[in-house]
Amino acid sequence: MGEFDLIRDFFAQQQLSRQDVVLGIGDDAAILDVHPGAELITTSDLLVEGVHFPQSTSAYDVGYKSLAVNLSDMAAMGAEPAWFLLSISLPEASESWLRNFCEGLFSLASECTVQLVGGDTVRGPLAVGVTMMGWAPQSQAIRRSGARPGDGVYVTGVLGDAGLALAGIQNEVWLPQDIQMLLLITLNRPVPRVQEGIKLRGLATSAIDISDGLVSDLGHICAESNVGAEVELSLIPLSESYMEFAMPVFGYDKAVSHGDDYELCFTVPEEKEVQFTGLYKEFSVPVTRIGAITEVRDIRWIQEDGNRATFSKGHDHFPDE
Ligand code: ADP
Ligand code: MG
C-alpha cells in the first residue's frame, strides 16, 4: 500500500461532509467557507507515543484521543469546532491499525460534526498531530485573561480519574481489574465539553481545559488575568473510585496535579452566578463551584482544617534543568 492509497483508503473515508467544506482532501490545500461575522479559532496538539500515551494504547484510542484533546481546546474557547487537519507519522502501513485508528477518530468526529479536510502522512515513530479549526461570533470567544476578583471558580465533571488510571497502569496503586478497565476508558476517551463551552459564552469571564492539572491550569487563568484564587479542596468533585483507591494513597494530588481529565475550569462573575446555576442544570455533565478568584495573586488550596496545602505543578516537557 503506497502513501496515496493509504490516504484514499483510510483518511479520505470519513462519512461526514459539511456544507462549508468547498474542497476537502485531495488537492494541494483545502478550501473552507468561513461564516461571515465569525472569528476563526484554531488550535493544534501533537501526541507522541511513549510521551502522551503508552505503547499499549489501542489504535482506536489513539485516533479518538488525538481529536478529543483538540476539541477540548475548542471547548475551552467557547468555539464551535468545524474542520481539522491530521498530520501523522507511522512506523508502518498496517491496515488493521489504520482501520481501528480511523474508527476512533471518525466516531468522535461524527459526534461533534467536524470534518477532516487534509493533512500529511509520513513514515517515522508513531506521532499524531491534529490541527483543529472552528469559529465563534465576533468577540465572544472565552479567553484565559478575563477572571476578576469575586468571580466563582467552577469545574465540570470529576477530577483525578485519568491520573488514577495511569497510576494503576504504572503499578503505583492497586486497583481491582474492573475499576482499572473503567478508569482506562476515562483516560483514553475523554469527553470534550464542546456544548458546555459554547453555552458559557457571555457568562464565563475566563476558561481553560484541564490538560495539565488544576494547579497548572487554574494557574494559567490567574497569571493571564493578574489575579489569584482560593480553592476549597473538599469541594473538588471526585469519583467514588478516587475516594476509595486514590485518596488514601495520593490525597488530592492526582486530582489537582496530574491532568489528562480534559474537563473545563472557568470563572463566572458574582452577579451572573444565579443565572448560571439555572443554566448548568441543563448541562450533560455536573458542574461544581470549588472556590473564588481573589485579588491576592497566588492560589490558596484550603484543607478541611482551614490550613493551606501545597501541590506540585503538572507535567512540563521542558522543566528547568
Ligand atoms: P502534497 O504533496 O501536495 O503536500 P500530499 O501527498 O501530502 O500532498 O497529500 C495529498 C492530499 O491528501 C492533500 O489534500 C492532503 O491534505 C491529504 N492528506 C495527506 N495526508 C493526510 C492525512 N493524514 N489526513 C487527511 N488528509 C491527508
Ligand atoms: Mg504533503
Side-chain angles (χ1 to χ4, degrees), residues 3-4 7 11 24-29 86-88 116-121:
E3 178 188 329
F4 302 103
I7 294 166
F11 302 132
I25 294 172
D27 212 305
D28 293 308
L86 169 71
S87 292
I88 189 164
L116 178 58
V117 295
D120 205 13
T121 307

Side-chain angles (χ1 to χ4, degrees), residues 8-10 13 18 27 34 37 47 50 118 121 150 164 239 259 274 280:
R8 186 196 59 218
D9 293 350
F10 293 97
Q13 293 304 315
R18 289 177 59 101
D27 212 305
V34 183
L47 301 191
T121 307
L164 176 57
S239 70
V274 174
Y280 73 58

Side-chain angles (χ1 to χ4, degrees), residues 4-302:
F4 302 103
D5 305 315
L6 191 157
I7 294 166
R8 186 196 59 218
D9 293 350
F10 293 97
F11 302 132
Q13 293 304 315
Q14 187 179 6
Q15 292 306 311
L16 178 104
S17 67
R18 289 177 59 101
Q19 292 213 318
D20 50 16
V21 176
V22 182
L23 185 64
I25 294 172
D27 212 305
D28 293 308
I31 306 175
L32 308 170
D33 188 3
V34 183
H35 308 223
E39 285 172 338
L40 182 68
I41 297 171
T42 85
T43 183
S44 187
D45 256 323
L46 177 63
L47 301 191
V48 177
E49 184 180 55
V51 179
H52 299 95
F53 55 89
Q55 213 163 4
S56 58
T57 311
S58 73
Y60 185 102
D61 288 341
V62 174
Y64 180 101
K65 194 166 181 177
S66 57
L67 184 59
V69 298
N70 283 278
L71 287 166
S72 178
D73 282 322
M74 286 279 137
M77 299 300 290
E80 180 160 334
W83 317 287
F84 69 103
L85 300 162
L86 169 71
S87 292
I88 189 164
S89 166
L90 292 167
E92 56 174 347
S94 154
E95 292 199 23
S96 66
W97 193 93
L98 281 160
R99 200 176 316 109
N100 290 323
F101 173 85
C102 285
E103 229 179 277
L105 183 78
F106 290 146
S107 67
L108 181 60
S110 296
E111 225 171 278
C112 297
T113 331
V114 292
Q115 187 174 341
L116 178 58
V117 295
D120 205 13
T121 307
V122 301
R123 187 191 285 267
L126 181 58
V128 185
V130 167
T131 299
M132 185 86 231
M133 290 161 284
W135 58 276
Q138 203 136 37
S139 312
Q140 286 189 31
I142 309 165
R143 307 173 185 210
R144 296 177 177 181
S145 54
R148 296 291 170 262
D151 290 1
V153 176
Y154 293 80
V155 294
T156 58
V158 294
L159 302 186
D161 279 4
L164 176 57
L166 204 63
I169 296 175
Q170 294 170 343
N171 288 320
E172 287 174 37
V173 66
W174 178 84
L175 296 170
Q177 213 170 2
D178 55 331
I179 302 270
Q180 174 73 60
M181 295 270 286
L182 286 173
L183 288 170
L184 259 185
I185 295 174
T186 313
L187 175 67
N188 289 328
R189 301 193 199 157
V191 179
R193 304 300 180 190
V194 174
Q195 290 314 316
E196 288 73 21
I198 291 171
K199 286 183 186 141
L200 289 175
R201 281 182 205 152
L203 264 174
T205 46
S206 71
I208 193 167
D209 66 321
I210 307 175
S211 54
D212 297 328
L214 195 59
V215 172
S216 186
D217 292 321
L218 180 55
H220 291 314
I221 285 186
C222 289
E224 292 301 314
S225 304
N226 286 311
V227 294
E230 194 165 290
V231 174
E232 297 279 341
L233 285 170
S234 62
L235 296 179
I236 290 176
L238 304 169
S239 70
E240 277 174 31
S241 300
Y242 192 99
M243 288 305 292
E244 186 172 353
F245 299 105
M247 190 54 92
V249 185
F250 308 111
Y252 286 96
D253 211 62
K254 294 286 171 196
V256 301
S257 291
H258 180 81
D260 272 335
D261 291 308
Y262 296 98
E263 295 294 350
L264 295 179
C265 173
F266 55 93
T267 55
V268 177
E270 237 173 331
E271 69 272 15
K272 290 189 175 166
E273 285 191 279
V274 174
Q275 179 195 350
F276 178 60
T277 311
L279 177 82
Y280 73 58
K281 298 207 171 100
E282 294 160 25
F283 282 19
S284 58
V285 62
V287 171
T288 310
R289 190 186 194 277
I290 58 169
I293 295 294
T294 59
E295 222 158 300
V296 188
R297 290 193 49 186
D298 64 345
I299 303 184
R300 294 186 216 169
W301 305 90
I302 310 296

